[in-house]
């Protein structure tokens, strides 16, 4: 088995990406886009913003003067061209046609997939859960539609390398931008891609084989692939892959308790031969918290403290889910709501640029409760909530028909006949209004301020959010709610001077460090692949093997189980002729070998009917000639031993003497016996066969 | 280990489906239904047969419910809450969501009929709380050894066929299914599985249905005619299933014909049911699914709630009222009011249980029905039989059995005489042993087992390396019935001769091992002793004139060296003409076919010649042959060709 972590990713929107070689099959885990890199581009300049036009003083932004002196970044430093999108660098070092399988764990992990599926020779089988595939498709469609604005603004471009990618242009980029464009090691330019088309998206989703929760997919009869919920997002999953060489579980970013998506199903990942742990989400928190501590690898623990811990691990595992952080999350949501209400009260509008579906759905529910219960102002009940996105309507409708992927509390709603999410009712009451674009006539007709707007894209470079930011950026009563993982300074450059209040929120996007150890103890994998960068105790058993990996280093892991198992259908096994030799009993196999559902199986095949061929094919030992004579005479065959030098008859070397047995009756035959070989000469098939039978009884054979 | 199948209900009848199957030490109850035709203890399966002591928790591994119809779930609250079964209960998400409505509806009507209450609302609620909902195709590990999986069954929303596997033994229990998609549901769908047993419903064991569209047309015509003339249409249905299907049909028709006549649902209950259907739209037909964003098909525009005051209100209307079959309750109440009027119409489902008013209406054309000894109803209204069924017909059952090709089949949920005919067909046409036990009978069948062995790497490598070939098993059975059966699992097959190079070794107290024969000797610590055959075979030569009288068997080496080659070539040609098997390889000095090795023998005396008294040696040339045991048959075949042939030298 081989494993390469191609990218650690970064948070919720940029999940890790890795390549796994299992049983000779190359498996790619996820194919994301790094949207945080999009901030080096300027959003569509304001002249194009239609109704939300704000006077701008920018002139000739595309011309950039060569400058050596680093000064404070400003909006003019950004790249004024149609953006390209940054994918996982190392993925492009692989030939797409060599990939056998792509496993998509979440809608975010799917966004870069069209880059792959449109590349030449790509023929891999792509698996994703039904919900991931559907949500992923909508997000990609939205991306294409938001990007259209750039196309319209910059006009059709020739297919060549864009201006900004030229060396001389890159050289004059401010260092902050250059680092994003080229990467720290200046080798990431190849990771930039022009965006895919709507047709690419269509083709990409067509190729995805969708799976239900815990549905088994059988690849090539050899691998059995199953998705189990990871809790990260609706439809997001971890994978188990079984093959004759053992069972593997792959954990990517997972959340124990969720208020919308089905919980992290870690029980289903128990007891595998290999666990690939690639949840890097705590890396961020670690960096923040331990910037001043020394760098160590994961702590593997001494055996003394381990024993002590062992007594408690079961308890620890039991508390895993209880302390799932949902209450913490709820507090954050409540805080956002409170801040929003405050802004609205002050006459400002609220722009929420959060693209996490779960957070969005919960915010919609919470906000309406806050707006209704706020008694201070009568007007608040009439503050409109707008959702502006080309796919919002479809997404929201879809959210209400996939109870199978929701958390327990939401499923209860199904069983009691209530809508799964609050937005259904709110939309009916027109408390939430959904519009496909910021320029849509219905929106203009209904537009009312102050208001609360949910709109993509969280990078602040695409979508309606750009236009609304331009409109409100100088209003100090308005509020902008951002996601963490975004360099706010860079992201807000085009909207400076920024007077709006800004609230940047981080939400759980993976397994907390303190939960890693109890989780591993619960899962008890025989071997563990763990990121070297995560510094946390991971010793969980004496006998288990731990391999630490680094980004872009291939790790070879010895075969997991030492013996392959084969199943022989009992009916067939009964037909085997059993021979005994000393302690062993043995039989020659018959039938047909199948690789079926990840198992080797011997089934009685069509050709098995030919059972008459029962001659022993392999012999050992040395024949006792006297015994052979007796066996022959039992069959009515008479002969006599004639000790001769082998050379006298057929010119063989004297060192290899043959003992010859001459058969006189029923007809003439000759048996030459040497140390490792006996040759039977007979002109008659029947006689030859009888002699051979006699040989079988004086030699070991099968 | 045999699979034992105890039929507690729906054996040679329709009603109270309940089959308990024991596989490899696990015991699964499929369905836990009640019989609508009985009011006494016969309405429930005889659970005492599962466990005399009433200890169901240790007697059963789990209970699986296929769909929300009462004949499949009606006894569940009684079984879990009154009899105290505490183990896991599995059903699909829609079934879990919708079953309480059915049960509650039944319980209420049960009250009205003044029968003894068997379970309460609270029982239903608590029972449903314990149910584990599953998705289609989700592989559920009930415990370490028992695996179950649901497959789409059509029939009603959320109906599923269930696959269960313990160790090597596997079965499928279909519940009710429909192989034809209807207005709101898709067709049953399952993949090819290796099954020891298939337990299938056989409601329409002996009938083949005609086009559903004709029936729908007739129904709509009857309804339209009635309302156009100002009549009232009563559609007695159960809360779920048929109600939504017919409602979709009417909505569509109302829209097309621009009708304004009100459609009523008898209670908020059924409107509530539509809410469930909206959230579960993923479980409906492709057509309905595709439109959910713009318009969820279960958002009925023309439907309004009904209240009692409207029963005698003037003007036409269509009313859906529970329960179906007019077995009591609201629908019967309305029927009593509307039946005497000629202009009205009552539509009845294709199947009504014996003992219900619906059954009486359908058997013959009664003008007067005695409800009880004091009440009589004059029936003057039109009666339309809605004969579109949600069950598969005989062809669909045959297609499914053929597609799954189980080792055995058991028929349940049908009528005895029809089942007998279907059993005959399954046995004679498909060669699959088939049973149709009566209630409380047990059928025992043998199951396939596997011998498990370690396989050595050499064995795997030798068997798998170059000769991969794909064997697509399972031609998809896209038959006229429309049953969609997905492509089976692809298998890799390996050519079998190489399997025969391998040995299964069993030692006491050790797991059996499969090794390649080359590894065997090493393992045994023995030296190989090769046993070979040899024969120096004479072939007649016919000399042509040109070569003169040169004796081929002379000792002129130079001359013979040339001829040795040509003789072999001549032999090669002869053999390739006559030999049907094997591949002749020419190595210059010798020919080889598998292990059969032949070369020209120029010795005067060869030990492999058995007869020294060959006359006229000048016309013979000898070919020395040897071969190993494996190719015995082939070798003698070649030798007989050689002995009979004549080589013509030019
Ligand atoms: Zn049914
Ligand atoms: Zn039924
Ligand atoms: Zn010879």
């Amino acid at each position: 088995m081989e494993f390469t972590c191609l990218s650690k990713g970064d948070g919720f929107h940029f999940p890790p990406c890795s390549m796994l070689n299992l049983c000779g099959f190359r498996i790619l885990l996820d194919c994301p886009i790094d949207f945080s890199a999009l901030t080096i581009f300027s959003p569509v300049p304001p002249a194009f913003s239609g109704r939300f036009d704000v006077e701008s003083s920018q002139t000739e932004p595309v011309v950039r003067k060569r400058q050596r002196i680093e000064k404070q970044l400003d909006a003019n430093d950004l790249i004024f061209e149609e953006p390209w999108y940054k994918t996982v660098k190392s993925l492009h070092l692989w030939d797409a046609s060599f990939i056998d399988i792509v496993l998509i764990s979440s809608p975010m992990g799917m966004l870069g997939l069209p880059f792959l599926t449109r590349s030449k020779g790509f023929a891999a089988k792509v698996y994703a859960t039904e919900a991931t595939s559907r949500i992923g498709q909508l997000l990609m469609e939205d991306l294409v539609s938001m990007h259209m604005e750039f196309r319209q603004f910059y006009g059709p471009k020739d297919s060549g390398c864009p201006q900004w990618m030229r060396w001389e242009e890159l050289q004059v980029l401010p260092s902050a931008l250059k680092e994003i464009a080229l990467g720290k090691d200046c080798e990431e330019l190849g990771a930039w891609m022009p965006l895919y088309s709507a047709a690419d998206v269509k083709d990409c989703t067509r190729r995805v084989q969708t799976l239900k929760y815990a549905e088994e997919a059988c690849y090539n009869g050899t691998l059995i692939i199953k998705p189990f919920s990871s809790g990260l997002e609706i439809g997001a999953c971890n994978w188990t892959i079984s093959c004759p060489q053992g069972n593997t579980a792959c954990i990517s970013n997972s959340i124990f308790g969720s208020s919308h998506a089905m919980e992290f199903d870690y029980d289903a990942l128990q007891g595998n031969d290999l666990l690939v742990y690639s949840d890097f989400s705590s890396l961020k928190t670690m960096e923040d918290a331990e910037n001043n501590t020394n760098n160590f690898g994961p702590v593997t623990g001494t055996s003394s403290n381990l024993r002590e811990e062992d007594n408690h691990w079961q308890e620890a595992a039991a508390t895993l889910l209880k302390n799932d952080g949902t209450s913490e999350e709820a507090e954050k949501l409540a805080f956002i709501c409170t801040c929003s209400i405050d802004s609205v009260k002050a006459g400002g509008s609220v722009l929420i640029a959060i693209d996490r579906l779960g957070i969005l759905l919960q915010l919609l529910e919470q906000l309406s409760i806050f707006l209704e219960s706020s008694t201070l102002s009568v007007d608040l009940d009439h503050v409109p909530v707008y959702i502006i996105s080309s796919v919002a309507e479809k997404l929201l409708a879809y959210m209400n028909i996939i109870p199978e992927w929701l958390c327990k509390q939401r499923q209860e709603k199904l069983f009691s006949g209530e809508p799964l999410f609050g937005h259904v009712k709110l939309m009916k009451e027109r408390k939430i209004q959904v519009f496909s674009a910021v320029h849509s006539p219905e929106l203009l007709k209904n537009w009312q301020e102050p208001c609360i707007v949910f709109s993509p894209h969280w990078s602040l470079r695409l979508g309606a959010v750009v236009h609304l930011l331009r409109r409100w950026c100088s209003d100090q009563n308005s509020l902008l709610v951002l996601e963490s993982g975004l360099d706010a300074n860079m992201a807000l450059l085009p909207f400076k001077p920024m007077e709006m209040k800004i609230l940047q929120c981080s939400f759980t996007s993976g397994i907390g460090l303190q939960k890693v150890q109890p989780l591993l103890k619960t899962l008890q994998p025989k071997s563990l692949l763990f990121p070297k960068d995560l510094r946390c105790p991971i010793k969980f058993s004496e006998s288990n093997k731990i391999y630490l990996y680094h980004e872009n280093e291939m790790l070879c892991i010895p075969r997991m189980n030492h013996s392959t198992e084969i199943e022989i259908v009992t009916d067939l096994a009964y037909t085997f002729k059993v021979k005994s030799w000393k302690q062993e009993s043995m039989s020659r196999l018959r039938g047909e070998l199948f690789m079926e559902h990840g198992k080797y199986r011997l089934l009685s095949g069509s050709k098995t009917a030919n059972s008459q061929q029962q001659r022993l094919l392999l012999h050992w030992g040395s024949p006792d000639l006297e015994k052979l004579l007796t066996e022959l005479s039992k069959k009515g065959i008479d002969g006599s031993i004639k000790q001769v030098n082998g050379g006298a008859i057929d010119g063989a070397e004297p060192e290899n003497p043959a003992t010859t047995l001459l058969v006189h009756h029923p007809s003439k035959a000759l048996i030459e016996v040497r140390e490792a070989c006996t040759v039977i000469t007979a002109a008659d098939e029947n006689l030859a066969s009888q002699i051979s039978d006699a040989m079988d009884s004086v030699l070991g054979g099968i | 280990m045999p699979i034992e199948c105890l039929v507690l209900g729906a054996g040679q009848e329709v009603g109270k489906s309940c089959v308990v199957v024991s596989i490899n030490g696990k015991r699964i109850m499929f369905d836990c239904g009640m019989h609508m035709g009985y009011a006494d203890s016969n309405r429930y399966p005889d659970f005492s047969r599962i466990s005399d002591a009433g200890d169901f928790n240790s007697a059963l591994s789990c209970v699986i419910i296929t769909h929300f119809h009462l004949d499949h779930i009606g006894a569940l609250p009684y079984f879990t809450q009154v009899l105290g079964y505490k183990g896991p209960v599995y059903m699909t998400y829609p079934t879990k969501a919708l079953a309480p409505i059915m049960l509650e509806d039944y319980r209420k009507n049960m009250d009205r009929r003044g029968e003894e209450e068997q379970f309460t609302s609270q029982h239903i609620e608590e029972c449903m709380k314990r149910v584990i909902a599953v998705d289609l195709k989700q592989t559920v590990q009930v415990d370490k050894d028992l695996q179950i999986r649901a497959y789409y069954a059509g029939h009603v929303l959320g109906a599923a066929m269930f696959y269960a596997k313990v160790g090597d033994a596997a079965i499928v229990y279909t519940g009710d299914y429909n192989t034809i998609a209807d207005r709101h549901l898709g067709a049953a769908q399952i993949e090819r599985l290796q099954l020891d047993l298939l337990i299938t419903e056989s409601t329409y064991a002996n009938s083949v249905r005609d086009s559903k569209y004709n029936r729908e047309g007739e129904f709509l015509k009857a309804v339209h005619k009635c309302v156009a003339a100002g009549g009232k249409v009563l559609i007695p249905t159960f809360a779920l299933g048929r109600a939504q299907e017919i409602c979709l049909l009417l909505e569509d028709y109302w829209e097309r014909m621009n009708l304004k006549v009100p459609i009523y649902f008898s209670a908020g209950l059924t409107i509530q049911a539509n809410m469930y259907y909206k959230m579960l739209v993923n479980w409906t037909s492709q057509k309905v699914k595709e439109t959910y964003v713009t318009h969820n098909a279960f958002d009925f525009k023309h439907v309004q709630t009904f209240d009692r005051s409207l029963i005698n209100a003037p003007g036409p209307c269509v009313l859906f009222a529970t329960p179906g079959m007019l077995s009591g309750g609201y629908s019967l109440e309305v029927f009593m009011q509307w039946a005497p009027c000629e202009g009205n119409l009552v539509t009845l489902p294709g199947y009504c249980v014996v003992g219900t008013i619906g059954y009486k209406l359908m058997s013959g054309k009664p003008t007067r029905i005695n409800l009880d000894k004091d009440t009589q109803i004059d029936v003057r209204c039109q009666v339309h039989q809605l004969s579109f069924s949600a069950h598969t017909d005989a062809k669909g059952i045959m297609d499914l059995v053929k597609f799954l090709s189980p080792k055995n089949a058991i028929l349940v949920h049908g009528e005895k005489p029809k089942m007998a005919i279907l059993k005959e067909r399954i046995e004679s046409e498909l060669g699959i042993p088939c049973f149709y036990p009566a209630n409380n009978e047990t059928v025992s069948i043998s199951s396939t087992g596997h011998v498990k062995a370690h396989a050595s790497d050499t064995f795997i490598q030798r068997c798998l390396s170059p000769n991969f070939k794909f064997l697509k098993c399972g031609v998809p059975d896209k038959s006229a019935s429309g049953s969609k059966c997905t492509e089976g699992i692809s298998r890799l097959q390996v050519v079998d001769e190489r399997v025969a190079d391998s040995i299964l070794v069993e030692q006491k107290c050790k797991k059996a091992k499969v090794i390649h024969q080359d590894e065997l000797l090493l393992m045994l610590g023995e030296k190989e002793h090769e046993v070979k055959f040899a024969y120096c075979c004479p072939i007649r030569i016919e000399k042509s004139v040109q070569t003169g009288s040169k004796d081929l068997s002379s000792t002129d080496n130079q001359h013979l060296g040339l001829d040795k080659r040509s003789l072999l070539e001549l032999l090669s040609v002869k053999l390739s003409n006559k030999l049907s098997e094997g591949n002749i390889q020419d190595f210059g000095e010798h020919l080889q076919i598998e292990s059969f090795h032949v070369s020209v023998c120029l010795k005067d005396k060869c030990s492999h010649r058995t007869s020294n008294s060959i006359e006229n040696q000048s016309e013979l040339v000898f070919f020395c042959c040897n071969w190993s045991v494996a190719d015995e048959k082939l070798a003698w075949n070649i030798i007989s060709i050689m002995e009979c042939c004549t080589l013509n030298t030019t």
Side-chain angles (χ1 to χ4, degrees), chain B residues 81-94:
Chain B
Q81 305 314 117
V82 180
L83 297 184
Y85 169 72
K86 296 271 174 284
V89 180
Y90 294 93
M91 54 181 82
T92 62
Y93 281 93

Side-chain angles (χ1 to χ4, degrees), chain A residues 134 212-216 218 220-222 226 262 393-394 397-398 400-404 411-420 428 559 563-570 573 576 581-582 584-597 600-603 607 612-613 615-623 649-650 668-670 672-685 688-689 692 695 699 702, chain B residues 93-94 96-97 100 133 135-139 141 147 149 165 168 194 272 275-276 278-283 292-294 296 299 407 448-457 459-460 463-464 470-471 489-497 499-508 511 514 517-518 520-521 523-524 526-536 603 605-610 612 627 629-630 632-633 636 643:
Chain A
R134 180 74 188 130
K212 301 270 189 183
Y213 183 83
E215 177 181 348
E216 284 183 359
C218 189
N220 206 10
T222 313
K226 263 193 270 188
M262 180 169 252
E393 190 192 6
K394 285 182 187 171
Y398 187 65
N400 213 39
I401 62 160
I402 41 163
E404 298 84 2
Q411 286 191 352
E412 280 311 313
K413 287 183 187 277
L414 163 73
F415 300 132
S416 53
E418 293 166 48
L420 304 169
K428 220 173 232 164
R559 197 195 159 120
S563 163
T564 315
E565 195 166 73
I566 179 171
E567 294 183 352
I568 305 162
V569 176
T570 318
F576 293 164
W581 179 259
K582 294 177 182 164
E584 342 265 336
S585 60
M586 56 191 85
S587 37
R588 193 168 278 278
L589 295 188
R590 299 192 304 133
E592 287 176 66
L593 183 68
F594 287 94
M595 180 67 190
E596 190 178 76
H597 224 67
Y600 291 108
R601 277 214 177 124
L602 197 61
L603 308 176
K607 286 197 190 168
Q612 46 144 217
Q613 202 225 38
R615 179 74 65 223
L616 304 183
L617 298 175
L618 177 70
H619 296 88
W620 58 85
S622 49
I649 288 180
D650 60 1
K668 271 193 166 179
L670 184 78
E672 294 163 89
V673 181
R674 290 192 174 77
E675 198 191 334
C677 178
T678 293
V679 179
I680 301 164
T681 304
D684 172 58
E685 180 177 354
S689 152
S692 173
M695 286 303 296
L699 282 169
I702 184 94
Chain B
Y93 281 93
K96 179 172 177 180
D135 201 350
L136 288 177
K137 295 193 188 164
Q138 176 183 351
T139 307
Q141 209 72 45
Q147 206 178 58
R149 197 182 301 149
K165 184 182 166 208
D168 300 319
Q194 285 183 359
Q272 175 78 37
M275 186 74 219
Y276 288 96
K278 279 200 281 189
M279 286 188 278
L280 294 165
V281 75
N282 255 331
W283 295 69
Y292 79 90
V293 178
T294 42
N296 195 314
D299 265 327
K407 297 220 172 67
T448 4
H450 286 107
V451 177
K452 286 196 172 121
H454 288 304
S456 78
D457 291 347
F459 164 72
I460 297 290
C463 279
L464 291 185
F470 255 110
L471 186 83
I489 312 138
S490 64
R491 284 170 166 182
L492 282 177
Q493 189 206 344
V494 175
V495 180
D496 65 340
E497 291 95 68
V499 166
D501 286 344
S502 306
I503 318 285
L504 175 71
V505 184
E506 291 161 291
Q507 282 170 291
K508 274 194 188 123
K511 191 166 180 179
V514 169
Q517 61 180 13
D518 292 353
L520 181 71
L521 295 169
M523 201 190 100
L524 297 174
E526 295 284 349
K527 273 203 183 120
E528 182 174 1
H529 187 97
E530 198 185 357
V531 176
K532 289 184 84 171
F533 295 98
Y535 178 53
C536 200
K603 291 173 205 154
K605 271 180 85 184
C606 173
S607 65
H608 305 305
R609 284 175 214 164
T610 46
N612 293 322
W627 62 94
V629 208
E632 204 183 0
K633 266 193 83 173
W636 288 109
E643 282 181 328

Side-chain angles (χ1 to χ4, degrees), chain B residues 558-617:
Chain B
Q558 197 190 8
H559 177 75
L560 281 169
L562 282 166
D563 273 324
K564 233 169 149 178
R565 227 6 252 139
S566 49
L567 281 169
L568 263 183
E569 273 163 18
L570 281 174
L571 181 64
S572 177
V573 172
K574 278 273 182 240
L575 288 178
S576 60
N577 284 343
K578 298 238 168 113
L579 205 61
S580 53
E581 51 181 332
N583 170 32
I584 304 170
Q585 287 173 285
D586 192 338
F587 289 90
E589 280 292 298
H590 71 273
L591 298 179
Q592 201 167 331
I593 306 149
E594 307 295 340
S595 73
F596 188 88
H597 182 289
V598 54
S599 56
V600 180
C601 180
L602 297 175
K603 291 173 205 154
D604 287 337
K605 271 180 85 184
C606 173
S607 65
H608 305 305
R609 284 175 214 164
T610 46
S611 163
N612 293 322
S613 57
I614 296 164
E615 295 134 45
N616 208 355
Q617 288 219 354

